Amino acid sequence: MRIVCSALAATALTLAGFAAQAQETVKIGILQSFSGITSLGGQQADGAVKLFMKKYGDTAGGKKIELIRRDTTGPNPEVAKRLVQEVVTRERVNLLIGPDYTPNTLAAAPILMEAKVPSFVTGAATTGIIGEKSKYSTRTFFAVPQLCRPLASYAVKNGWKRVYVAVADFAPGHDCEKYFLEALKEANGELAGNVRIPVSNPEFSGYMQRMRDAKADAVFIFMPIGELSIGILRAINDSGLKSTGIKIMGTGDITDETYIDAVGDAAIGTITTGIYSTQHNSPLNKEFVKEWAELNGKQRIGWGALAVYDSMRLTYDALNAQGAGKFDADKFISFVHGRTFESPRGPVTIDKNNGDIIQNIYIRRVDKVDGVLQNVEIESFSNVGFK
Amino acid sequence: MSAVLTVLFNGIAYGFLLFIMSVGLSVTLGMMNFVNLAQASFSMFGGYVMVMAMQWFGVPFLLTLPLVFLVIGVLSVVMERLVFRHFYNTDDLTQVLLTIGLVFMSIATATYFWGGTYQRIDMPPWLIGQREIFGLTLETYRIFLIVIGLAMALALILGLERTRFGAMVRACVDNRRVAGACGLNTGLIFALTFAVGGGLAGLGGALSANLLGLDPNFPLRYLVYLLIIVSVGGMGTISGTLIAGIALGVADVMGKYYFPQFGGFVIYVLTVLCMLWRPQGLMGRKA
């Protein structure tokens, strides 16, 4: 009898424990790419979450934060969809950071909309995927036009009127080409020529000769993160095009901190637009960079890490504002959308109407700072939104 | 005029790069009749051996090349003894499935040891920049590639197609049982040929890493090019591989210069046409 009693008591206690826990826990699904060739994104996300929780603790608004980590394995919509379904229906996550990449974001949107689960878009830059598809989405990354437009007026202002445009031959490349050409026309610049480079392309010399023949003042480049960016910058240097004095411009992908060392000195002088540089001069960023290095060692900070870090910031702020009681997705979204806050990258606002991001876009030049290649900010455009 | 000549030179240099990358596969696939897609992984490991030797031990670039050949040659013999030799008599599909599996494993291995990011590759100063030759400004590294590629082609054509050892390899491939009955140690000959093929693949990786970048995804990204060159050139001929490399290299660069809107296409169109015209490859013997 005594045994039965204590067993019952124990069960009751456990149940009570569960109930209490269920009330006071907020589950965040972290859907990023943790394995294979895209695992760098996952490492950056892990680094950001770890740093944020070390600094601000593991409770917000009196609720304990619980992380549910899942591996999207890269731009893989089938996998992303299955994982979203799993964490939403079985793990009952309250919100998501991710999934990463545009195809993954699109695959997740209908489920999140139906289940009313807020999500942060931390790795997809395509236009039109925020707002219409899911009103529970918030983008903390950037949108392609934010980066593609500013360099047109900057080039013309500096007297580099004739611009050669080279983009990668895939959807975001075509997008970026369109936005840049529009902006170049508005700024009264002149198109010296343009070319679309195949996404699988180990050889650039034919394109280099064309750029040389076009006698442009500057070349504008949009390439996806990876070997194409490294390849084209090295080709411009090796072919001697760079020493003709042509200015090299592009979106920040081509000089991303996570592989700029592989480009090497060929990158020096390249002018890019970016949302964040570790060189950003603000007390908040200096602290962020210092703490990141203490925790994550030599790994450099990419934009994805910033997007995840700011998503955590918004989450904690929203939970604190909600206080006790059950997690409310609609309250969460109405707090986050329209919010302005200071991020290590500078001031950031989440658009009240569609949840997309409004932020400063910086013009940076690659230079060696204490022997390390860095994107040094030289000018900034304030509060650039998505047009 | 100088633009045309420069483009032509760049095309030839690219052709030599394609040759250097694919000659290892040409040896194992063409001469030994073994479909080893993992040659591309040997190339990647060759690149990593070069990078490590240079960064960690300060070995000069030129010295890393024989080192890479040796290390990857030994690695491929080990793999041959452990895995590949059991599959010499299986059909092509089994070999493809086996070796593509090994490619995926090699990608995971490289990510584990060196991380997912791109390696920093610093060439010695004398290989950087451009040189003036006959009034043309040519890239130094491309000149270097042509010189090395010519040397490799010559050594291989003389060594594998014209020597007793080469004849022994061909005898073993044509009919292993008869070759064995004639007193040839077929196991040893296959292992040695495999080592040469692997070593060459490693060398290809080390020489191309500077232009192509080096990360764990290297094998999958460039495997298609290796297969194109070897099949266009024809199985089992080094000279065919060289001719195919140069022809496609020149066509690719010329195509990108004159018709940039179709530029990326040219290499594939030519491959299809060539395969329709001569299914056995440019220099291949009729099957």
Side-chain angles (χ1 to χ4, degrees), chain B residues 75-155:
Chain B
L75 174 76
S76 52
V77 168
V78 172
M79 290 297 292
E80 196 256 359
R81 291 286 96 185
L82 288 176
V83 185
F84 295 122
R85 73 189 169 106
H86 304 294
F87 294 88
Y88 280 146
N89 293 321
T90 56
D91 59 327
D92 292 350
L93 185 63
T94 310
Q95 295 175 351
V96 166
L97 291 176
L98 168 81
T99 53
I100 198 78
L102 288 173
V103 169
F104 285 114
M105 286 167 71
S106 74
I107 290 176
T109 311
T111 312
Y112 180 79
F113 283 110
W114 296 286
T117 187
Y118 292 84
Q119 291 297 315
R120 173 176 193 150
I121 296 160
D122 290 315
M123 285 292 125
W126 59 272
L127 277 176
I128 297 176
Q130 305 87 32
R131 307 262 158 131
E132 291 278 340
I133 291 175
F134 304 125
L136 294 175
T137 313
L138 305 178
E139 282 174 47
T140 316
Y141 194 75
R142 287 174 186 260
I143 301 173
F144 172 73
L145 274 183
I146 293 180
V147 173
I148 289 268
L150 273 178
M152 279 169 69
L154 211 65

Side-chain angles (χ1 to χ4, degrees), chain A residues 36-37 39 195 198 200-203 205-207 209-210 213 226-227 230 234 237-240 258-259 261-262, chain B residues 3 6-7 10 14 107 111 117-121 130 139 142 210 212 217 221-222 225 252-253 256-257 260 264:
Chain A
I37 50 163
S39 57
V195 65
S200 155
N201 177 55
E203 170 64 28
S205 62
Y207 302 124
Q209 192 63 39
R210 277 194 84 83
D213 294 353
E227 75 283 351
I230 300 174
R234 289 189 81 124
N237 190 53
D238 293 345
S239 65
T258 52
Y259 57 72
D261 290 331
Chain B
T6 310
V7 170
N10 283 332
Y14 180 45
I107 290 176
T111 312
T117 187
Y118 292 84
Q119 291 297 315
R120 173 176 193 150
I121 296 160
Q130 305 87 32
E139 282 174 47
R142 287 174 186 260
N210 176 40
L212 303 179
N217 200 28
R221 201 160 49 231
Y222 299 115
Y225 294 94
D252 182 71
V253 174
K256 282 169 180 166
Y257 181 61

Side-chain angles (χ1 to χ4, degrees), chain A residues 358-377:
Chain A
I358 301 167
Q359 59 191 330
N360 287 358
I361 297 296
Y362 303 92
I363 309 271
R364 309 96 49 86
R365 188 177 53 230
V366 177
D367 263 320
K368 266 205 169 141
V369 181
D370 302 327
V372 182
L373 291 170
Q374 299 281 14
N375 288 301
V376 181
E377 291 171 357

Side-chain angles (χ1 to χ4, degrees), chain A residues 166-219:
Chain A
V167 300
D169 197 358
F170 71 141
H174 302 167
D175 259 13
C176 188
E177 183 187 50
K178 189 185 92 190
Y179 292 118
F180 183 82
L181 291 181
E182 259 173 33
L184 188 66
K185 210 171 166 190
E186 284 166 26
N188 288 322
E190 192 187 329
L191 180 66
N194 68 328
V195 65
R196 291 175 171 181
I197 296 178
V199 183
S200 155
N201 177 55
E203 170 64 28
F204 292 92
S205 62
Y207 302 124
M208 294 302 120
Q209 192 63 39
R210 277 194 84 83
M211 288 181 195
R212 191 187 279 260
D213 294 353
K215 299 205 175 358
D217 301 321
V219 53

Side-chain angles (χ1 to χ4, degrees), chain A residues 75-375:
Chain A
N76 209 338
E78 284 308 310
V79 175
K81 193 174 172 186
R82 174 165 54 77
L83 292 176
V84 170
Q85 230 149 18
E86 191 240 347
V87 296
V88 167
T89 55
R90 199 170 321 154
E91 297 287 347
R92 306 239 162 239
V93 294
N94 299 100
L95 60 120
L96 279 183
I97 294 184
D100 46 7
Y101 297 101
T102 299
N104 297 357
T105 308
L106 288 175
I111 308 172
L112 298 176
M113 183 79 167
E114 200 180 321
K116 298 192 175 168
V117 172
S119 74
F120 289 99
V121 176
T122 59
T126 312
T127 51
I129 60 171
I130 302 296
E132 306 126 59
K133 299 288 193 301
S134 170
K135 64 172 181 143
Y136 292 98
S137 288
T138 306
R139 174 144 56 191
T140 51
F141 202 40
F142 67 94
V144 168
Q146 292 180 333
L147 289 188
C148 294
R149 290 181 54 91
L151 276 173
S153 55
Y154 180 81
V156 173
K157 196 182 78 188
N158 281 282
W160 316 329
K161 284 207 134 178
R162 283 173 56 80
V163 182
Y164 198 95
V165 178
V167 300
D169 197 358
F170 71 141
H174 302 167
D175 259 13
C176 188
E177 183 187 50
K178 189 185 92 190
Y179 292 118
F180 183 82
L181 291 181
E182 259 173 33
L184 188 66
K185 210 171 166 190
E186 284 166 26
N188 288 322
E190 192 187 329
L191 180 66
N194 68 328
V195 65
R196 291 175 171 181
I197 296 178
V199 183
S200 155
N201 177 55
E203 170 64 28
F204 292 92
S205 62
Y207 302 124
M208 294 302 120
Q209 192 63 39
R210 277 194 84 83
M211 288 181 195
R212 191 187 279 260
D213 294 353
K215 299 205 175 358
D217 301 321
V219 53
F220 172 81
I221 301 166
F222 177 87
M223 293 287 147
I225 282 195
E227 75 283 351
L228 277 181
S229 294
I230 300 174
I232 197 167
L233 287 183
R234 289 189 81 124
I236 287 173
N237 190 53
D238 293 345
S239 65
L241 186 63
K242 194 174 166 188
S243 47
T244 63
I246 194 171
K247 303 289 173 200
I248 320 293
M249 314 188 293
T251 60
D253 307 282
I254 57 174
T255 59
D256 193 271
E257 273 86 355
T258 52
Y259 57 72
I260 192 171
D261 290 331
V263 182
D265 289 353
I268 291 177
T270 306
I271 289 171
T272 59
T273 41
I275 59 169
Y276 173 70
S277 159
T278 42
Q279 296 294 299
H280 181 64
N281 191 11
S282 76
L284 186 68
N285 181 51
K286 289 205 169 111
E287 195 186 318
F288 174 71
V289 171
K290 192 170 144 263
E291 288 167 348
W292 176 281
E294 280 164 12
L295 192 68
N296 298 317
K298 267 193 181 162
Q299 193 188 136
R300 298 184 72 165
I301 311 170
W303 295 355
L306 251 287
V308 171
Y309 192 82
D310 285 345
S311 303
M312 291 295 285
R313 157 94 288 138
L314 285 166
T315 303
Y316 272 47
D317 288 353
L319 292 176
N320 282 330
Q322 263 184 35
K326 216 168 157 280
F327 177 85
D328 185 326
D330 289 299
K331 269 193 197 157
F332 184 90
I333 283 300
S334 63
F335 177 87
V336 168
H337 290 188
R339 183 143 182 92
T340 300
F341 65 102
E342 169 85 10
S343 152
R345 62 181 120 171
V348 167
T349 300
I350 302 299
D351 193 313
K352 203 174 173 52
N353 302 317
N354 59 14
D356 214 338
I357 188 165
I358 301 167
Q359 59 191 330
N360 287 358
I361 297 296
Y362 303 92
I363 309 271
R364 309 96 49 86
R365 188 177 53 230
V366 177
D367 263 320
K368 266 205 169 141
V369 181
D370 302 327
V372 182
L373 291 170
Q374 299 281 14
N375 288 301

